[in-house]
Amino acid sequence: MALATQQPDARLNDSLRIGTHTLASRLIVGTGKYASYEQMAEALALSGTDCITVAVRRERLVNAAGQNILDHIDTARYTLLPNTAGCFTAEDAVRVARLGREILSGLENPGADWVKLEVLGDAKTLLPDPVATLEATEQLVAEGFQVLCYTSDDPVAARRLKQAGATSVMPAGSPIGSGQGILNPNNIRICLEYLKQDDPDYPVIVDAGVGTASDVTVAMELGVDGVLLNTGIAHAADPLAMAVAMKSAIEAGRLAYQAGRIPKKLYATASSPEAGNIAAKPR
Amino acid sequence: MISHPSDDSPLTVNVIINGAPRDVASEITIAALLAELEVSQRHVAVEVNRQLVPRARHAEYQLREGDCLEVVTLVGGG
C-alpha cells in the first residue's frame, strides 16, 4: 500500500521548467477580473500557483493615491509573468514587453526576463495574429526575452514559433475568456508531437478557453505541461471554490497523464471474473 | 522691448502624458515629473516618443516641447 500511496504524491512534486524558470505548480493564473484585490489574492493562494500573469497599462494619474495591484501581490511568493494582452501589432507588443521588463526589474522579481506574448488579430475573437506573433517573437528573442507565445492550436504555427526561439508555445484551448474548454484536442496532440519531437522537455502550455476544472484535466491528460487561465476562476460564481477545484484538476490531469490511461474500446470488458459465475449467459 | 535672457527659454513646455496634454516646467526631468504626479517610481515604467527610458535615466532625462509620454504600471490581467 505504501508504494501505491506514496509514489503518486512524489510524482506531483515534478516541477514545471520553462526556460530558466522552475515552477512548483503547473497552473499559471491571471490576475484580472476579480471582484476585489482581496478576492484575487485569496484565489491565487488557494489555486496553489506560484506564477501569475499581469498586464501593463497606463497609470491612472488622476488617482495616483489609488491602490496598485503590487500592494496586493507577494512578489517573493509569486513569479510574475508580464503579458502583452491587448496588443494588435508586433511593434506595440514589443514596446509593452520592454515596459513590463522595466517594471519587473525594479521589483527584483525573477519574472523580469520573460513575457507572455499576445499579439491579437481581431478584437471580436481575440484570436492571435500568427504573422505578427512570429515577428514579435523574433524581435523579443533577439532582445534577450524568454518568450511564452500565446497562439492558436495550429500545429504548423506552433512549430514556427518554436523555431523562432520561443521558450514555450501556448496554444489556446478555445478563444480567450470563452469558457469553451479544449475545442480541438487532436490539434493539441499534434502540437505536442511537433514541439516535443526530439525535445520531450519543451514546455507546452494551454493558454485560454478554460471554463471549468474538467477542461484543465482534459488538457493535462493530453500531455501538456501546464495550463494558464484567468476568467475560469475570476468569473466563477464562487471564485475561491473554483480556485481549489482548478488546483485539484491540474494535479488529477497530470497524474492521469503520467499514469497512462487505458485505451478506448468499442465494446465492454467485464471487470469481474467469468470463472465461477453461477448466472446463465444470455444467448 | 528689452530683451530678457529667459525669453528664448519658455517657462513651460507642452507634453502629452498618457494621451492628455499637460504644461510642465521646461527642462523638467522624468524623475521630477513623476514626483509632481505623485507616482511611485517603483511601480511604473516610462516611454518617451515610443522609446523606453530606463529608470536609471529618469533623473537626467529632460522633457521637450511636444514629447509624448506613456507612464505605465502593472494591472490585473490574464
Side-chain angles (χ1 to χ4, degrees), chain A residues 131-186:
Chain A
V131 176
T133 300
L134 186 64
E135 286 170 2
T137 300
E138 288 167 346
Q139 176 67 33
L140 290 169
V141 168
E143 293 184 20
F145 283 89
Q146 302 191 73
V147 182
L148 286 63
C149 279
Y150 163 72
T151 179
S152 70
D153 60 8
D154 176 355
V156 177
R159 185 158 61 185
R160 290 292 295 268
L161 292 170
K162 185 186 174 190
Q163 286 166 347
T167 297
S168 173
V169 173
M170 306 200 294
S174 54
I176 294 172
S178 72
Q180 295 180 55
I182 312 297
L183 283 183
N184 192 339
N186 289 340

Side-chain angles (χ1 to χ4, degrees), chain A residues 206-268:
Chain A
V206 161
D207 175 1
V210 165
T212 187
S214 55
D215 297 335
V216 169
T217 307
V218 165
M220 293 304 291
E221 285 175 352
L222 291 170
V224 303
D225 299 274
V227 174
L228 191 160
L229 62 88
N230 188 148
T231 312
I233 292 179
H235 276 187
D238 182 345
L240 302 184
M242 189 59 89
V244 176
M246 294 302 190
K247 179 177 193 281
S248 299
I250 204 126
E251 292 173 355
R254 178 66 179 168
L255 273 176
Y257 169 70
Q258 290 174 319
R261 60 153 299 144
I262 60 164
K264 289 183 183 178
K265 292 181 213 160
L266 183 58
Y267 294 111

Side-chain angles (χ1 to χ4, degrees), chain A residues 31 55 57-59 95 102, chain B residues 47 55 70-71 73 75 77:
Chain A
T31 54
R57 290 291 182 273
R58 283 174 168 168
E59 175 68 87
R95 287 170 62 206
E102 171 73 4
Chain B
E47 236 186 18
R55 195 174 279 113
E70 295 291 348
V71 180
T73 188
V75 301

